[in-house]
Short mmCIF file of all heavy atoms in Angstrom, two decimals:
data_model
loop_
_atom_site.label_atom_id
_atom_site.label_comp_id
_atom_site.label_asym_id
_atom_site.label_seq_id
_atom_site.Cartn_x
_atom_site.Cartn_y
_atom_site.Cartn_z
N ALA A 21 150.75 -137.39 261.49
CA ALA A 21 151.96 -137.35 262.32
C ALA A 21 152.05 -136.00 263.03
O ALA A 21 151.55 -134.98 262.54
CB ALA A 21 153.19 -137.57 261.46
N LEU A 22 152.71 -135.98 264.18
CA LEU A 22 152.81 -134.78 265.00
C LEU A 22 153.46 -133.63 264.25
O LEU A 22 153.00 -132.49 264.32
CB LEU A 22 153.57 -135.09 266.29
CG LEU A 22 153.74 -133.91 267.25
CD1 LEU A 22 152.37 -133.39 267.71
CD2 LEU A 22 154.58 -134.33 268.47
N GLU A 23 154.55 -133.93 263.50
CA GLU A 23 155.26 -132.86 262.81
C GLU A 23 154.38 -132.21 261.74
O GLU A 23 154.44 -130.99 261.52
CB GLU A 23 156.56 -133.38 262.18
CG GLU A 23 156.34 -134.50 261.16
CD GLU A 23 157.67 -134.96 260.57
OE1 GLU A 23 158.22 -134.21 259.74
OE2 GLU A 23 158.13 -136.06 260.96
N ASP A 24 153.52 -133.01 261.07
CA ASP A 24 152.59 -132.43 260.09
C ASP A 24 151.48 -131.66 260.79
O ASP A 24 151.00 -130.64 260.29
CB ASP A 24 151.98 -133.53 259.23
CG ASP A 24 153.01 -134.21 258.34
OD1 ASP A 24 154.01 -133.54 258.00
OD2 ASP A 24 152.83 -135.39 258.00
N ALA A 25 151.06 -132.17 261.94
CA ALA A 25 150.01 -131.51 262.70
C ALA A 25 150.48 -130.15 263.20
O ALA A 25 149.69 -129.20 263.26
CB ALA A 25 149.59 -132.38 263.88
N LYS A 26 151.79 -130.03 263.54
CA LYS A 26 152.34 -128.75 264.03
C LYS A 26 152.24 -127.67 262.96
O LYS A 26 152.12 -126.48 263.27
CB LYS A 26 153.78 -128.94 264.46
CG LYS A 26 153.98 -129.73 265.73
CD LYS A 26 153.55 -128.94 266.97
CE LYS A 26 153.89 -129.70 268.26
NZ LYS A 26 153.45 -128.94 269.46
N GLU A 27 152.32 -128.08 261.70
CA GLU A 27 152.23 -127.10 260.61
C GLU A 27 150.81 -126.52 260.51
O GLU A 27 150.62 -125.41 260.02
CB GLU A 27 152.61 -127.76 259.29
CG GLU A 27 154.05 -128.22 259.22
CD GLU A 27 154.38 -128.91 257.92
OE1 GLU A 27 153.47 -128.98 257.04
OE2 GLU A 27 155.52 -129.39 257.77
N ILE A 28 149.85 -127.31 260.95
CA ILE A 28 148.45 -126.84 260.92
C ILE A 28 148.12 -126.07 262.18
O ILE A 28 147.50 -125.02 262.14
CB ILE A 28 147.49 -128.04 260.74
CG1 ILE A 28 147.80 -128.77 259.43
CG2 ILE A 28 146.04 -127.59 260.80
CD1 ILE A 28 147.04 -130.06 259.25
N SER A 29 148.55 -126.63 263.32
CA SER A 29 148.31 -125.97 264.61
C SER A 29 149.52 -126.17 265.50
O SER A 29 149.92 -127.32 265.76
CB SER A 29 147.06 -126.56 265.27
OG SER A 29 146.90 -126.05 266.58
N SER A 30 150.09 -125.10 265.93
CA SER A 30 151.31 -125.17 266.77
C SER A 30 151.02 -125.79 268.13
O SER A 30 151.94 -126.26 268.81
CB SER A 30 151.91 -123.77 266.95
OG SER A 30 150.94 -122.90 267.54
N LYS A 31 149.75 -125.83 268.50
CA LYS A 31 149.38 -126.38 269.82
C LYS A 31 149.01 -127.86 269.74
O LYS A 31 148.57 -128.44 270.73
CB LYS A 31 148.21 -125.61 270.39
CG LYS A 31 148.52 -124.13 270.65
CD LYS A 31 147.31 -123.41 271.22
CE LYS A 31 147.62 -121.94 271.47
NZ LYS A 31 146.45 -121.21 272.03
N ALA A 32 149.18 -128.47 268.57
CA ALA A 32 148.81 -129.88 268.40
C ALA A 32 149.64 -130.77 269.32
O ALA A 32 150.84 -130.56 269.50
CB ALA A 32 149.00 -130.29 266.96
N GLU A 33 148.99 -131.79 269.89
CA GLU A 33 149.65 -132.74 270.77
C GLU A 33 149.24 -134.16 270.39
O GLU A 33 148.16 -134.38 269.82
CB GLU A 33 149.27 -132.47 272.24
CG GLU A 33 149.73 -131.11 272.75
CD GLU A 33 149.33 -130.89 274.20
OE1 GLU A 33 148.66 -131.80 274.77
OE2 GLU A 33 149.65 -129.81 274.75
N VAL A 34 150.09 -135.09 270.76
CA VAL A 34 149.82 -136.49 270.46
C VAL A 34 148.56 -136.96 271.20
O VAL A 34 148.38 -136.67 272.38
CB VAL A 34 151.02 -137.38 270.86
CG1 VAL A 34 150.69 -138.86 270.66
CG2 VAL A 34 152.26 -137.01 270.06
N GLY A 35 147.68 -137.64 270.44
CA GLY A 35 146.47 -138.20 271.05
C GLY A 35 145.23 -137.35 270.85
O GLY A 35 144.11 -137.85 271.00
N GLU A 36 145.42 -136.06 270.49
CA GLU A 36 144.23 -135.23 270.30
C GLU A 36 143.69 -135.36 268.88
O GLU A 36 144.36 -135.88 267.99
CB GLU A 36 144.55 -133.77 270.63
CG GLU A 36 145.39 -133.06 269.61
CD GLU A 36 145.54 -131.57 269.91
OE1 GLU A 36 145.04 -131.12 270.96
OE2 GLU A 36 146.16 -130.87 269.10
N ILE A 37 142.45 -134.89 268.69
CA ILE A 37 141.82 -134.93 267.37
C ILE A 37 142.00 -133.56 266.72
O ILE A 37 141.63 -132.53 267.30
CB ILE A 37 140.32 -135.26 267.48
CG1 ILE A 37 140.12 -136.63 268.13
CG2 ILE A 37 139.68 -135.24 266.09
CD1 ILE A 37 140.73 -137.78 267.39
N LEU A 38 142.58 -133.58 265.54
CA LEU A 38 142.86 -132.34 264.82
C LEU A 38 141.95 -132.21 263.61
O LEU A 38 141.70 -133.18 262.89
CB LEU A 38 144.32 -132.33 264.37
CG LEU A 38 144.82 -131.02 263.73
CD1 LEU A 38 144.86 -129.90 264.76
CD2 LEU A 38 146.20 -131.23 263.10
N HIS A 39 141.44 -131.00 263.39
CA HIS A 39 140.61 -130.74 262.21
C HIS A 39 141.50 -130.33 261.05
O HIS A 39 142.12 -129.27 261.09
CB HIS A 39 139.60 -129.63 262.51
CG HIS A 39 138.55 -130.03 263.50
ND1 HIS A 39 137.57 -129.18 263.96
CD2 HIS A 39 138.31 -131.22 264.13
CE1 HIS A 39 136.79 -129.81 264.81
NE2 HIS A 39 137.23 -131.06 264.94
N VAL A 40 141.53 -131.18 260.04
CA VAL A 40 142.36 -130.92 258.87
C VAL A 40 141.46 -130.51 257.72
O VAL A 40 140.62 -131.30 257.26
CB VAL A 40 143.17 -132.18 258.49
CG1 VAL A 40 144.07 -131.88 257.29
CG2 VAL A 40 144.02 -132.65 259.68
N GLU A 41 141.64 -129.26 257.27
CA GLU A 41 140.77 -128.74 256.21
C GLU A 41 140.99 -129.47 254.89
O GLU A 41 142.12 -129.81 254.52
CB GLU A 41 141.02 -127.24 256.02
CG GLU A 41 140.08 -126.59 255.04
CD GLU A 41 140.29 -125.09 254.90
OE1 GLU A 41 141.16 -124.55 255.63
OE2 GLU A 41 139.60 -124.48 254.07
N ILE A 42 139.89 -129.70 254.19
CA ILE A 42 139.93 -130.35 252.88
C ILE A 42 139.53 -129.32 251.82
O ILE A 42 138.48 -128.67 251.96
CB ILE A 42 138.98 -131.56 252.82
CG1 ILE A 42 139.39 -132.61 253.86
CG2 ILE A 42 138.95 -132.16 251.42
CD1 ILE A 42 138.39 -133.73 254.00
N LYS A 43 140.35 -129.17 250.81
CA LYS A 43 140.05 -128.23 249.73
C LYS A 43 139.18 -128.93 248.68
O LYS A 43 139.61 -129.90 248.06
CB LYS A 43 141.34 -127.74 249.08
CG LYS A 43 142.31 -127.02 250.04
CD LYS A 43 141.70 -125.69 250.51
CE LYS A 43 142.71 -124.94 251.39
NZ LYS A 43 142.13 -123.66 251.88
N SER A 44 137.98 -128.41 248.51
CA SER A 44 137.06 -129.05 247.57
C SER A 44 137.56 -128.93 246.13
O SER A 44 137.17 -129.73 245.26
CB SER A 44 135.66 -128.42 247.68
OG SER A 44 135.73 -127.02 247.45
N LYS A 45 138.43 -127.96 245.86
CA LYS A 45 138.97 -127.80 244.52
C LYS A 45 139.85 -128.98 244.11
O LYS A 45 140.11 -129.21 242.94
CB LYS A 45 139.78 -126.51 244.42
CG LYS A 45 138.94 -125.25 244.51
CD LYS A 45 139.80 -124.00 244.37
CE LYS A 45 138.95 -122.73 244.45
NZ LYS A 45 139.76 -121.51 244.32
N GLU A 46 140.28 -129.74 245.11
CA GLU A 46 141.17 -130.87 244.84
C GLU A 46 140.39 -132.11 244.39
O GLU A 46 140.99 -133.09 243.96
CB GLU A 46 141.98 -131.21 246.09
CG GLU A 46 142.90 -130.08 246.55
CD GLU A 46 143.59 -130.40 247.86
OE1 GLU A 46 143.34 -131.52 248.39
OE2 GLU A 46 144.35 -129.56 248.37
N PHE A 47 139.07 -132.06 244.51
CA PHE A 47 138.26 -133.22 244.15
C PHE A 47 138.38 -133.48 242.65
O PHE A 47 138.45 -132.55 241.84
CB PHE A 47 136.78 -133.01 244.50
CG PHE A 47 136.52 -132.92 245.98
CD1 PHE A 47 135.39 -132.28 246.47
CD2 PHE A 47 137.41 -133.47 246.89
CE1 PHE A 47 135.15 -132.20 247.82
CE2 PHE A 47 137.18 -133.39 248.25
CZ PHE A 47 136.05 -132.76 248.71
N GLY A 48 138.34 -134.76 242.29
CA GLY A 48 138.38 -135.13 240.88
C GLY A 48 137.04 -134.90 240.19
O GLY A 48 136.03 -134.57 240.83
N ARG A 49 137.01 -135.10 238.88
CA ARG A 49 135.80 -134.86 238.10
C ARG A 49 134.67 -135.79 238.50
O ARG A 49 133.52 -135.38 238.61
CB ARG A 49 136.11 -135.06 236.61
CG ARG A 49 134.95 -134.74 235.68
CD ARG A 49 135.37 -134.90 234.24
NE ARG A 49 135.75 -136.27 233.95
CZ ARG A 49 134.89 -137.24 233.64
NH1 ARG A 49 133.60 -137.00 233.60
NH2 ARG A 49 135.33 -138.47 233.39
N ILE A 50 135.01 -137.05 238.75
CA ILE A 50 133.97 -138.03 239.12
C ILE A 50 133.36 -137.68 240.48
O ILE A 50 132.14 -137.72 240.66
CB ILE A 50 134.55 -139.46 239.14
CG1 ILE A 50 134.98 -139.86 237.73
CG2 ILE A 50 133.53 -140.43 239.70
CD1 ILE A 50 135.64 -141.21 237.66
N ALA A 51 134.22 -137.30 241.43
CA ALA A 51 133.73 -136.93 242.75
C ALA A 51 132.83 -135.71 242.67
O ALA A 51 131.79 -135.61 243.33
CB ALA A 51 134.90 -136.66 243.69
N THR A 52 133.22 -134.76 241.81
CA THR A 52 132.43 -133.55 241.64
C THR A 52 131.06 -133.86 241.03
O THR A 52 130.03 -133.33 241.45
CB THR A 52 133.18 -132.55 240.75
OG1 THR A 52 134.46 -132.28 241.32
CG2 THR A 52 132.40 -131.24 240.64
N MET A 53 131.05 -134.73 240.00
CA MET A 53 129.80 -135.10 239.36
C MET A 53 128.87 -135.83 240.33
O MET A 53 127.65 -135.60 240.34
CB MET A 53 130.07 -135.99 238.14
CG MET A 53 130.67 -135.25 236.96
SD MET A 53 129.54 -133.97 236.33
CE MET A 53 128.17 -134.98 235.78
N ASN A 54 129.44 -136.69 241.16
CA ASN A 54 128.63 -137.41 242.15
C ASN A 54 128.01 -136.44 243.16
O ASN A 54 126.86 -136.59 243.57
CB ASN A 54 129.47 -138.45 242.87
CG ASN A 54 129.78 -139.65 242.00
OD1 ASN A 54 129.06 -139.91 241.03
ND2 ASN A 54 130.83 -140.38 242.32
N ALA A 55 128.81 -135.42 243.55
CA ALA A 55 128.30 -134.42 244.49
C ALA A 55 127.14 -133.66 243.86
O ALA A 55 126.12 -133.39 244.50
CB ALA A 55 129.42 -133.46 244.89
N LYS A 56 127.29 -133.30 242.59
CA LYS A 56 126.22 -132.59 241.86
C LYS A 56 124.96 -133.44 241.80
O LYS A 56 123.85 -132.94 242.02
CB LYS A 56 126.71 -132.26 240.46
CG LYS A 56 125.65 -131.62 239.57
CD LYS A 56 126.18 -131.43 238.16
CE LYS A 56 125.08 -130.94 237.23
NZ LYS A 56 125.55 -130.81 235.84
N ASN A 57 125.12 -134.73 241.52
CA ASN A 57 123.96 -135.63 241.41
C ASN A 57 123.23 -135.77 242.74
O ASN A 57 122.00 -135.90 242.77
CB ASN A 57 124.40 -137.00 240.90
CG ASN A 57 124.84 -136.96 239.45
OD1 ASN A 57 124.42 -136.08 238.70
ND2 ASN A 57 125.68 -137.90 239.05
N VAL A 58 124.00 -135.75 243.83
CA VAL A 58 123.38 -135.84 245.16
C VAL A 58 122.48 -134.64 245.40
O VAL A 58 121.34 -134.76 245.89
CB VAL A 58 124.46 -135.93 246.26
CG1 VAL A 58 123.83 -135.73 247.65
CG2 VAL A 58 125.16 -137.27 246.22
N ILE A 59 122.95 -133.45 245.02
CA ILE A 59 122.15 -132.23 245.21
C ILE A 59 120.90 -132.27 244.34
O ILE A 59 119.79 -131.99 244.80
CB ILE A 59 122.99 -130.99 244.87
CG1 ILE A 59 124.16 -130.85 245.85
CG2 ILE A 59 122.13 -129.73 244.92
CD1 ILE A 59 125.12 -129.73 245.53
#
């Protein structure tokens, strides 16, 4: 939503593509183990 996008970037506008950072620390144990197995 636009109001959430404004919190990330004040220049955000409707229709554009916004890069929303993902914190890897938020991943669960299973996701982390799968990532390790891939490596």
